Structures are given as structure tokens and as C-alpha cells.
């Protein structure tokens, strides 16, 4: 389906191909993406190429990589090989159908680094797919996600589409201006995504979204937090008593010989230093108390 008359470039948004993502894979991608905020994370997608127009993603697994706020490094081939071997040992026969990564807060599109990474995947399998998910904007069960594949330079120069068979499914979702600025329909095109969720799976997805809305401010149960603080206070009290006894046991002559204002520690050779542990326990108690109060205030708001 070429571009409309008068346009300088064709509309390569839709190829009649659909990426079907299972509920398990979708929830795992969201949870992984949220765990890496504010940095990007990436992983591999497992599944199969059902036919020329269907890609099924049944599961995903995370990849160890160095991420920044706007890009992630390429896949570690050694880790990927070992992971695939272990999956085969437990009876998982799926192959790698592509990769996914997160764009926390700035929508689904491919950067120049992402296009290069996707090109490396397509060198191994020309039908490999790159999925981008935004864990910040995905709230209340609505998932902000998109799938892409690169446009070969020869195809772009000849103003032809990657495939001849197309449909209008992709045109139901208008591309964002940010994606167009970053090369959508010029360096890569979008592929339709489908995922069917059962009622229980939809409830699980909504629960993940509620967790994301807290932006990492989830707090422990009030009763558990109070028990932890009480235990820390008892530890501080015990250290204070030990330190007081140690100070009292210091030789009076040694104390008199100290310079005025000099805070000399009592001898603690061969046993726990109560002064040092008292300082550490007190600072930890103050930090934990302030942090819990802040978290509870944010959660209340």
C-alpha cells in the first residue's frame, strides 16, 4: 500500500503481520521494565514464527546489560547461548523471535542504537522483531507498547514497501510525532501487536499497573515496620548501656590525664566496641524512620 499522492515517502506502517504476545510475556516485560526505572532494560523473546503473517511470543527472559536513560548495549551472545541451552534442558523448545527493551516515560520508538541492534538480529533472522514497552505510561491495564522491524536501505531508496501484502490494521493506531522524528517509516516500520487476556490475567495486569503507579514507593506493612523499628531501638538501648558501663570502668587517673574536650574511647580490645556500634545503630534507626515516614506520606498522597 503506497503513500498517498503528493507524499514524498510511502506509508510503511503496516505489513499485515501481527505479533501475538502471551499474557505471561507481557506481564514479565512490564515488571522487568519497571524494575529498571529510570534506566532502560532489555531481554529476549521466545516463541515461534507460525506462518508468514503471525509471530507468537510465549515467554521472555531478561538479559544482563549496561543501560542508560536512552539506550542499552547489544545482547551478550555467551549469556544467550547458555540461557537457550538451559531452556532446552527443561523442555522449552521455543526459539528467539526477537528482543524487547523499555523506554521509561518517553514512548515506543527506536533510537539509532536500537536500529543497529535490531539490524544484528535481522542478520540472523530477517523476521526478528523489536518490541518497545513504556512501563511508566502503562497504567490501569493499558499497555503502551509497539513492535518494529527495520527497513533495508535498498528498499528505502527505491521507495518500496518491505512486503507486498498489507492490510489496514496498522492504520488504526496513529503514530506518535516522537516516533516519526526518530525515523519511523524511514528507518523502521511498525507491526501490529495483539494480546488476548483472560479475566484473571487482566486482573494481574491491572495489579502490575497499580504497582507501577507507585513509582517504587511501596512500603512494608505497618505492623512489620513497627516491629523492625522496635528491634532497632532495643539494640540502640543495649549498646547505650554497654557504652555507659565501659565509660564507667575507665581508670579515673586516665580520665583525669585527658585533655579538656578530648573524647577518648574506653579500652575495648578483644571485644565489641559499643561506641562504634551505638553510632551505626543510631544512624540506621534515624534513616529508616525518616525513610518510612516519607514513603507512607507519598503512598497516602
Amino acid at each position: 500500500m503506497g503513500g498517498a499522492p503528493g507524499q514524498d515517502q510511502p506509508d510503511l506502517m503496516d505489513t499485515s503481520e501481527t505479533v501475538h504476545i502471551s499474557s505471561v510475556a507481557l506481564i514479565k516485560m512490564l515488571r522487568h521494565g519497571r524494575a529498571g526505572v529510570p534506566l532502560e532494560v532489555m531481554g529476549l523473546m521466545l516463541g515461534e514464527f507460525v506462518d508468514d503473517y503471525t509471530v507468537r511470543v510465549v515467554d521472555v527472559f531478561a538479559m544482563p546489560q549496561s543501560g542508560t536513560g536512552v539506550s542499552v548495549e547489544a545482547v551478550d551472545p555467551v549469556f544467550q547461548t547458555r540461557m537457550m541451552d538451559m531452556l532446552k534442558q527443561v523442555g522449552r523448545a521455543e526459539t528467539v523471535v526477537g528482543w524487547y527493551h523499555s523506554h521509561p516515560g518517553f514512548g515506543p520508538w527506536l533510537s539509532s542504537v536500537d536500529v543497529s541492534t535490531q539490524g544484528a538480529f535481522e542478520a540472523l533472522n530477517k523476521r526478528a522483531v523489536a518490541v518497545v514497552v513504556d512501563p511508566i505510561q502503562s497504567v490501569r491495564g493499558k499497555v503502551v507498547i509497539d513492535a518494529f522491524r527495520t527497513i533495508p536501505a535498498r528498499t528505502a531508496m527505491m521507495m518500496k514497501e518491505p512486503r507486498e501484502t498489507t492490510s489496514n490494521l496498522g492504520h488504526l493506531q496513529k503514530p506518535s510525532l516522537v516516533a516519526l522524528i526518530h525515523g519511523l517509516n524511514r528507518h523502521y516500520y511498525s507491526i501490529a501487536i495483539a494480546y488476548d487476556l483472560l479475566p484473571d490475567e487482566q486482573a494481574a495486569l491491572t495489579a502490575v499497573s497499580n504497582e507501577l503507579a507507585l513509582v517504587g514507593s511501596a512500603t512494608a506493612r505497618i505492623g512489620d515496620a513497627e516491629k523492625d523499628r522496635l528491634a532497632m531501638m532495643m539494640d540502640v538501648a543495649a549498646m547505650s548501656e554497654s557504652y555507659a558501663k565501659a565509660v564507667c570502668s575507665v581508670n579515673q587517673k586516665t580520665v583525669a590525664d585527658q585533655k579538656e574536650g578530648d573524647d577518648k574511647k574506653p579500652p575495648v580490645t578483644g571485644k565489641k566496641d559499643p561506641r562504634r556500634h551505638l553510632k551505626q545503630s543510631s544512624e540506621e534507626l534515624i534513616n529508616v524512620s525518616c525513610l518510612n515516614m516519607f514513603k507512607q506520606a507519598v503512598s497516602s498522597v
Side-chain angles (χ1 to χ4, degrees), residues 264-279:
K264 185 176 180 180
K265 295 189 301 182
V268 290
T269 304
K271 53 185 177 180
K272 179 184 285 188
D273 185 351
R275 179 184 177 182
R276 181 169 61 86
H277 286 276
L278 176 61
K279 182 179 179 180

Side-chain angles (χ1 to χ4, degrees), residues 131-255:
V131 171
V132 183
V133 60
D134 189 333
I136 300 298
Q137 298 183 24
S138 300
V139 295
R140 297 182 180 179
K142 179 182 178 182
V143 183
V144 180
I145 189 173
D146 205 347
F148 305 102
R149 189 177 291 139
T150 62
I151 300 175
R154 177 180 176 85
T155 301
M157 292 178 61
M158 298 178 62
M159 306 299 287
K160 294 181 179 179
E161 294 195 32
R163 296 179 58 164
E164 296 180 358
T165 305
T166 60
S167 70
N168 61 354
L169 293 178
H171 299 278
L172 299 178
Q173 179 180 356
K174 185 178 180 180
S176 65
L177 180 60
V178 177
L180 293 174
I181 292 175
H182 287 86
L184 179 64
N185 298 336
R186 290 185 288 114
H187 304 300
Y188 56 92
Y189 60 93
S190 177
I191 305 175
I193 291 181
Y195 46 88
D196 298 327
L197 302 179
L198 298 175
D200 294 341
E201 297 170 342
Q202 183 65 41
L205 179 62
T206 304
V208 172
S209 301
N210 292 336
E211 179 183 350
L212 303 183
L214 295 177
V215 195
S217 297
T219 59
R221 297 171 56 183
I222 300 298
D224 296 339
E226 290 296 335
K227 291 180 181 179
D228 294 339
R229 283 197 291 269
L230 180 60
M232 295 177 65
M233 292 177 65
M234 294 178 63
D235 183 56
V236 170
M239 288 294 103
S240 300
E241 184 178 358
S242 299
Y243 182 60
K245 291 180 180 179
V247 171
C248 293
S249 63
V250 175
N251 188 280
Q252 296 296 330
K253 181 177 179 180
T254 304
V255 174

Side-chain angles (χ1 to χ4, degrees), residues 64-82:
Q65 84 292 322
S66 300
T68 65
V70 294
S71 65
V72 289
E73 291 184 357
V75 176
D76 184 357
V78 177
F79 180 87
Q80 178 181 348
T81 303
R82 294 180 57 188

Side-chain angles (χ1 to χ4, degrees), residues 23-35:
S23 57
V24 173
L26 183 64
I27 293 175
K28 289 175 70 173
M29 281 192 288
L30 284 173
R31 292 185 63 87
H32 184 207
R34 182 63 198 94

